[in-house]
Amino acid sequence: MPVAALLAALVAQAEPGAPPACAALTLEPGLYCAQAPMGVVVSDDDAMAVHFAGIAAAGEARFRRHFEQPPTPYAVIVGERANPLTAAGMGFGGGGALQQQLRQAGARHILPWTTAAQRAELLLGARRSEAEGRRRAEGLTGDALDAAVAADLDAAEPAPPATAGADSGAAHELGHMWAIRAYWPDARGGGHYGGPADDWFDESAAVLMEDEALGQTRRAGFAREWRTPGGARPRPLAVYFADTHPLFEQVQAELERFKASAGTGAGAPGTLTGEAVGDPQVRTLNGQALDLANLPPGAVIRTPDGQPVDAATLARLMGGAVPGGEAASGRRPPRTMTAVRSLDTSDPGEQARAVMFYAQARVFADFLLERTGDPAVYGRIARALADGRTMDQWLAVDGAASGLPGSVTALDAAWMAWLADAYGPAA
């Protein structure tokens, strides 16, 4: 092949495709579109569309800086009307017609996102579902059940204030999608939390897309745990690089506990199927399918954007059987939105471990970027991981060129010394 033709082929392979354009969309009256370099934001509020387009564009710039790759085209759908909550409690991006139009316009990823008001409503619904499941398990029904649930909700702690930079979570989720498409374009599942990548890297790729305000929130959370006697601690790097995400561990542990109490075998309650998604099932982000009718009572699921939704709501939307109830009818959500992140947990220790996992991703990135002086070091690591190498193998071959030790053990020692300088001694 002539050199010019080879170069043209390589460039064509690297390009992610033309981004969707607002001008190519025919939106319903009252919906607005804002353009970002590689995507669009559709909202029922013009200012909100522009706001999230800015967030997405900043995420694009960070992705190019840290991975030296162009992000794949995308669309974000946000707003009370553009991405409405249904009567059952969950929105799925404005319906199939809008999503189809966005895909035809070139969007490879579609991210339905919620407003602060919607997140508050979903949190209330999740708390109500959890309280109802717990009270039903105690044998309460009818008016007594309603009164107990109402009392539980009145006694619950107020919803936490909005996290600084919370809207930057949209860029976080886009980062998951961009990294997987850039380095594992043909992979499916892989036994990990968010995709085929190791969980630490998958979460790091997303955290790197966040703005400084959210990054500072994560650093503050890390410092709080680090300086608290008995607080959560970062995992040793040998463990961190190999472990699963704490939220994925919680899902697996909860399901295993439920299976142990309900029996085992094909079709038994709580069984993970791994078959194609079917009513009333929902696919987890590691590619497995959960039977919603057999989840533990009061189980709460998190959607890809991190929002809680109860299993009964998902079952109703999917037209399947409601856990603990009769068959329901309703519109099944688009296949792209049948992914879930995790079951909620009320265990403070598990919550702290999950918070620390995100915080460690942020602070370890600070360490690597400072130590190497290379803003694209994560792109080099990504290529090695995608080629099947481990972090130990990458460090042994390429660590010295990046200013890093030649093994995970030595890197962990350097990381601990850096933490002592940056955050002081651990409590």
Side-chain angles (χ1 to χ4, degrees):
M1 178 182 290
V3 173
L6 177 59
L7 288 175
L10 290 174
V11 169
Q13 185 178 20
E15 288 301 315
C22 288
L25 303 176
T26 303
L27 299 177
E28 297 178 5
L31 293 184
Y32 299 89
C33 181
Q35 189 74 49
M38 290 301 295
V40 296
V41 177
V42 175
S43 178
D44 43 80
D45 181 89
D46 193 20
M48 184 180 292
V50 172
H51 170 66
F52 277 96
I55 288 171
E60 291 183 34
R62 294 186 191 99
F63 189 79
R64 290 179 183 273
R65 181 167 70 253
H66 292 304
F67 294 98
E68 297 182 325
Q69 295 264 10
T72 40
Y74 62 90
V76 178
I77 307 172
V78 60
E80 305 288 336
R81 187 161 177 269
N83 182 36
L85 299 183
T86 70
M90 189 65 197
F92 290 99
L98 176 58
Q99 293 203 19
Q100 181 178 9
Q101 196 179 164
L102 290 167
R103 291 198 182 281
Q104 290 174 343
R108 300 287 294 274
H109 310 297
I110 296 179
L111 176 66
W113 197 248
T114 50
T115 65
Q118 288 175 318
R119 290 193 289 273
E121 187 174 344
L122 287 169
L123 176 60
L124 178 61
R127 286 180 169 180
R128 180 178 291 109
S129 176
E130 189 277 333
E132 184 173 332
R134 186 176 64 253
R135 294 302 188 178
R136 284 188 185 277
E138 295 173 358
L140 298 182
T141 60
D143 292 342
L145 173 65
D146 294 341
V149 169
D152 288 344
L153 294 177
D154 288 341
E157 294 183 6
T163 301
D167 288 346
S168 186
H172 175 113
E173 293 304 328
L174 289 170
H176 282 296
M177 302 173 186
W178 291 335
I180 291 171
R181 186 59 65 97
Y183 296 99
W184 293 270
D186 301 318
R188 295 291 182 271
H192 297 289
Y193 171 67
D198 291 340
D199 286 356
W200 79 270
F201 180 84
D202 177 70
E203 207 53 62
S204 297
V207 165
L208 285 167
M209 301 304 103
E210 298 169 354
D211 66 11
E212 184 60 19
L214 189 50
Q216 285 294 80
T217 297
R218 300 214 189 275
R219 295 181 185 103
F222 184 97
R224 183 173 56 253
E225 294 294 334
W226 180 255
R227 295 165 183 163
T228 298
R233 294 289 181 264
R235 300 180 182 195
L237 294 185
V239 177
Y240 180 59
F241 292 149
D243 262 7
T244 54
H245 196 300
L247 295 182
F248 182 56
E249 293 173 359
Q250 292 166 24
V251 175
Q252 298 296 88
E254 189 69 26
L255 289 170
E256 288 302 318
R257 283 194 294 268
F258 186 68
K259 289 195 318 188
S261 66
T264 58
T271 299
L272 293 173
T273 67
E275 299 294 328
V277 174
D279 295 336
Q281 292 178 333
V282 60
R283 186 172 295 286
T284 63
L285 293 192
N286 75 318
Q288 293 177 308
L290 305 180
D291 185 346
L292 297 181
N294 292 324
L295 290 180
V300 176
I301 297 169
R302 289 193 181 277
T303 61
D305 64 355
Q307 306 311 317
V309 56
D310 61 276
T313 293
L314 278 173
R316 282 194 292 269
L317 286 168
M318 297 173 74
V322 177
E326 67 283 352
S329 61
R331 177 178 62 83
R332 178 174 176 170
R335 185 182 179 89
T336 55
M337 281 301 296
T338 57
V340 299
R341 276 235 182 265
S342 73
L343 296 178
D344 263 351
T345 175
S346 57
D347 186 319
E350 290 183 344
Q351 290 176 345
R353 286 185 64 230
V355 169
M356 176 53 77
F357 194 83
Y358 289 92
Q360 182 169 355
R362 176 63 267 173
V363 176
F364 182 65
D366 293 340
F367 162 72
L368 272 188
L369 294 170
E370 179 182 309
R371 178 70 182 256
T372 64
D374 179 9
V377 64
Y378 274 85
R380 309 189 202 298
I381 294 172
R383 178 53 58 203
L385 297 179
D387 288 343
R389 287 194 281 166
T390 65
M391 277 297 288
D392 244 338
Q393 292 168 335
W394 179 76
L395 288 167
V397 175
D398 300 316
S402 296
L404 298 173
S407 71
V408 169
T409 299
L411 183 65
D412 189 69
W415 154 243
M416 286 292 109
W418 182 89
L419 281 178
D421 287 341
Y423 290 87

